[in-house]
Amino acid sequence: MLECFDVVSDAQGLAPEMSIVLNYQDRQRSRFRGKTRCGEDLSWFIERGQVLADGDTLIAKSGEQISVVAAKETLSLVRTNDALLFARAAYHLGNRHVPLQIDAGELRYQHDHVLDDMLRGLGLDVHVSEKSFHPENGAYHNNGAGSIHSHHHHHD
């Protein structure tokens, strides 16, 4: 089994030999067991609160590099060019502590028909689609580009 304790973000110059496809829920886990795309058993033990992003690289204790790929998930998408309506939608979703991806003129969240109905009630069109999900990490999350995050124990 490949055991990973380090994550490299924005890993320029690395050439991962393997990859693992993960949904948002699994990318939030600090402890995980799964399989790479090629069937290798994999586990990781990373800092609590760290969320793996699409393109991050897990570094195995034995040296292998495994690229993280964000899986496609069922998401609700809201698009509008109306800045006030956009802000109201983001406010109401944030008030419910919904993980939210914010792009120019578009909000994405994990599909929920109750939230969809709430936003339709505000006058927005909601569409359901299969896309990868990259929500905001939050104001208190610190994960700088190019940083390496290590587990607190030494593994030699």
Side-chain angles (χ1 to χ4, degrees):
M1 169 170 304
L2 298 170
E3 294 181 328
C4 302
F5 298 93
D6 297 317
V7 178
V8 179
S9 300
D10 197 22
Q12 295 179 353
L14 294 182
E17 301 91 11
M18 293 173 260
S19 62
I20 186 166
V21 179
L22 301 163
N23 63 28
Y24 176 64
Q25 181 178 344
D26 289 341
R27 294 191 333 260
Q28 295 180 79
R29 299 182 190 279
S30 59
R31 310 285 182 269
F32 184 82
R33 289 184 82 144
K35 289 191 180 287
T36 65
R37 281 181 169 168
C38 63
E40 289 279 340
D41 287 324
L42 168 77
S43 63
W44 70 71
F45 311 88
I46 60 175
E47 183 180 332
R48 289 196 192 290
Q50 180 176 1
V51 178
L52 295 172
D54 187 64
D56 280 356
T57 301
L58 293 161
I59 308 296
K61 185 168 67 172
S62 53
E64 291 89 352
Q65 301 170 8
I66 302 94
S67 178
V68 174
V69 177
K72 291 189 177 188
E73 303 183 49
T74 303
L75 303 177
S76 294
L77 284 68
V78 178
R79 293 184 183 115
T80 182
N81 292 324
D82 182 326
L84 180 59
L85 199 51
F86 186 86
R88 290 182 69 210
Y91 170 81
H92 285 288
L93 290 168
N95 199 38
R96 286 156 182 80
H97 302 281
V98 173
L100 187 61
Q101 181 175 337
I102 304 171
D103 295 319
E106 180 180 271
L107 300 173
R108 292 183 188 182
Y109 55 92
Q110 291 169 317
H111 177 64
D112 181 314
H113 68 89
V114 173
L115 296 174
D116 294 352
D117 289 344
M118 175 190 71
L119 293 177
R120 286 185 185 107
L122 292 174
L124 290 155
D125 289 326
V126 180
H127 302 279
V128 178
S129 184
E130 295 289 318
K131 296 190 178 280
S132 60
F133 188 45
H134 312 281
E136 294 289 316
N137 282 328
Y140 300 107
H141 185 78
N142 185 9
N143 185 10
S147 62
I148 297 177
H149 303 278
S150 299
H151 190 57
H152 296 290
H153 304 288
H154 292 288
H155 302 278
D156 296 320

